Amino acid sequence: MKDKEISKLIEAEKKRQKSVINLIASENYVSQDVLYALGSELTNKYGEGYPGRRYYRGCKIVDEVEKLAQKRALKLFNLSSKKWSVNVQPLSGSPANFAVYCALVPPSEKIMGMVLSHGGHLTHGQKVSMTGKFWTPVLYKVDQKNELINYKELKRLAILEKPKLIIAGFTAYAHVVNFRKFREIANACGALLMVDMSHFAGLVAGKVYPSPFLYADIVTTTIHKTLRGPRSAMIFSRIDYRELHKKIDKTILPGLQGGPHFNQIAAVAVALKEANSPAFKKYAKQVVKNTKALSDELSQLGWRIIEGGTETHLLRVDVWREGKGIGGREAADKLEAAGIIVNENTIPFDTRSPMDPSGLRLGTAAETTRGKKEKDMINIARKIDRILRA
Ligand code: DSN
């Protein structure tokens, strides 16, 4: 590479990534094939529109790229192209969620999602996000007793508030979600059900987390977390008389975006093929086993695990311990100084600010890609314990 300044920074980042233990729950390490597609000449091509319907000439090849990504997306989640449509053009998760609301919920109508501090996402209607300004948010919390979703309370709130769309999906909730119950609740108040499976998509693909497709009207996902692909996103929508897919496609383009990033879409296609393999199923299984091992060992060592444990790729740990411990920011800094990379995270009913909350979020998807097993997780838990108590 001729640009020495950037190449030096890339090399430094490569070295950093290799030298640390990465427990960021939303990160992963992609394959060389994904990197190759991302760095390919496909980035040079403009092609606003959809396969066969572009505003530019010379799109025959990129049409094939996009159709292949769509085909692999449907195949990975066992979906028929007669019943489900997928848009592979969203640039990332937040714009994908925003596009769904723009397409399907009139401005200022209600959308219902989980509070950020309890495990939801900014784009699920939090006040600081445009999704909480352009639409009226109805935010649900977890149960104070066990920090799990209380479906009875969720139903009560949904019937009271009558949101137009309910979101099931989280960035820090560590338990398996009951999509059937979410469907019943959405039916009870006449809402659309959107599942944001960004965090657990790889677990769904690996068949260690229930598929949301039986119950949802719309499913959004990023590709770069447990699914181990490039930074990107997809929107799946059910094909029926409501024509959700047509509204979503029109909202992505011309509504919100311009030319699709074909290098990114090709990299998505590569990752989707990789995820549809026996090796990936084994990987997903190991991710869940590793998180449980990490959670169990931390718990043994006296740390309070939020929700009482985990069933997925992530967990949250209370480091503040009602004033007997340290703040999340200090804990994350101490771990970083020792080569363990995590993020500070709010915990349900947190008494501290999101900038310096009471918890840490730990995930095992990235380290599992690097071949770590349960015994490694036990050692990592012990190391975390030593560093945080020092
Ligand atoms: N910021 C991502 C995460 O870390 O979960 C979600 O957008």
Side-chain angles (χ1 to χ4, degrees):
M1 189 179 185
K2 286 197 195 103
D3 185 332
K4 294 295 168 227
E5 281 169 291
I6 284 293
S7 93
K8 215 170 125 191
L9 290 171
I10 292 173
E11 288 310 312
E13 174 60 13
K14 264 160 77 175
K15 202 167 149 206
R16 184 200 70 80
Q17 289 186 11
K18 282 196 180 126
S19 67
V20 297
I21 294 171
N22 182 3
L23 299 181
I24 303 272
S26 46
E27 291 185 8
N28 215 323
Y29 297 106
V30 299
S31 68
Q32 285 302 315
D33 285 4
V34 167
L35 288 180
Y36 176 78
L38 273 177
S40 69
E41 288 74 3
L42 290 167
T43 196
N44 299 333
K45 185 69 195 110
Y46 240 111
E48 277 162 325
Y50 291 100
R53 295 178 283 137
R54 308 272 188 201
Y55 296 98
Y56 293 75
R57 300 283 81 76
C59 287
K60 281 207 173 66
I61 296 163
V62 292
D63 275 6
E64 292 310 311
V65 170
E66 187 164 344
K67 284 196 285 186
L68 196 53
Q70 290 169 327
K71 194 169 138 199
R72 288 180 180 176
L74 295 177
K75 189 167 173 207
L76 180 61
F77 296 105
N78 294 314
L79 305 172
S80 148
S81 60
K82 292 198 176 67
K83 294 193 178 144
W84 285 88
S85 169
V86 59
N87 190 311
V88 295
Q89 295 190 7
L91 304 177
S92 209
S94 294
N97 289 349
F98 188 68
V100 172
Y101 312 149
C102 286
L104 307 178
V105 187
S108 81
E109 285 286 359
K110 292 177 182 170
I111 57 170
M112 182 165 163
M114 189 188 264
V115 180
L116 187 67
S117 60
H118 289 224
H121 187 252
L122 279 169
T123 60
H124 296 173
Q126 316 301 324
K127 270 287 171 209
V128 291
S129 155
M130 289 304 151
T131 62
K133 296 187 200 297
F134 295 170
W135 293 277
T136 306
V138 177
L139 297 173
Y140 58 90
K141 297 177 175 173
V142 293
D143 198 302
Q144 192 147 17
K145 278 198 310 289
N146 54 16
E147 297 168 325
L148 297 173
I149 295 170
N150 179 336
Y151 293 94
K152 231 170 125 181
E153 172 53 22
L154 200 72
K155 188 170 183 180
R156 188 199 62 76
L157 189 64
I159 289 173
L160 180 75
E161 297 284 354
K162 295 191 181 42
K164 290 277 181 260
L165 178 138
I166 297 179
I167 305 142
F170 319 94
T171 58
Y173 190 72
H175 278 78
V176 164
V177 177
N178 189 331
F179 296 123
R180 188 180 51 77
K181 285 198 177 150
F182 264 99
R183 179 74 264 168
E184 284 167 14
I185 294 166
N187 287 349
C189 67
L192 288 166
L193 177 61
M194 170 179 133
V195 174
D196 177 350
M197 65 169 184
S198 294
H199 262 272
F200 49 83
L203 305 184
V204 175
K207 304 211 179 329
V208 289
Y209 195 105
S211 170
F213 289 97
L214 213 54
Y215 301 105
D217 300 298
I218 309 110
V219 177
T220 60
T221 185
T222 50
I223 322 289
H224 47 275
K225 299 180 174 96
T226 48
L227 208 41
R228 210 164 59 185
R231 302 194 71 91
S232 190
M234 304 186 283
I235 304 171
F236 296 87
S237 47
R238 214 175 260 285
I239 300 177
D240 60 21
Y241 68 95
R242 297 170 297 179
E243 307 212 308
L244 304 175
H245 63 297
K246 289 193 180 164
K247 293 176 190 162
I248 288 168
D249 286 353
K250 261 196 195 156
T251 303
I252 291 287
L253 186 110
L256 290 169
Q257 295 188 179
H261 296 188
F262 293 113
N263 57 325
Q264 195 186 25
I265 292 172
V268 169
V270 172
L272 294 171
K273 187 172 182 193
E274 289 173 356
N276 206 344
S277 67
F280 192 87
K281 283 193 182 67
K282 218 168 134 191
Y283 161 74
K285 222 181 233 170
Q286 190 63 49
V287 167
V288 175
K289 282 193 212 164
N290 281 354
T291 325
K292 186 164 172 11
L294 183 64
S295 171
D296 287 353
E297 187 63 17
L298 283 168
S299 174
Q300 286 279 327
L301 293 165
W303 296 93
R304 187 174 83 81
I305 307 300
I306 307 303
E307 303 167 37
T310 174
E311 296 175 322
T312 59
H313 64 298
L314 63 81
L315 63 101
R316 276 177 295 170
V317 50
D318 177 1
V319 289
W320 177 240
R321 299 186 291 163
E322 292 176 340
K324 295 194 287 290
I326 55 174
R329 179 165 281 265
E330 188 185 344
D333 284 346
K334 275 176 117 174
L335 291 174
E336 182 171 15
I340 300 179
I341 308 299
V342 303
N343 64 280
E344 56 266 45
N345 216 102
T346 46
I347 63 173
F349 308 98
D350 211 323
T351 51
R352 294 169 63 84
S353 85
M355 292 308 292
D356 187 11
S358 299
L360 295 177
R361 183 183 67 165
L362 314 179
T364 63
E367 286 304 318
T368 307
T369 294
R370 299 169 98 189
K372 298 271 197 313
K373 295 271 166 46
E374 290 96 312
K375 64 174 185 340
D376 304 301
M377 292 298 145
I378 291 170
N379 288 334
I380 291 172
R382 291 179 183 164
K383 200 169 167 191
I384 291 174
D385 176 64
R386 278 196 304 277
I387 295 162
L388 294 185
R389 289 192 198 276

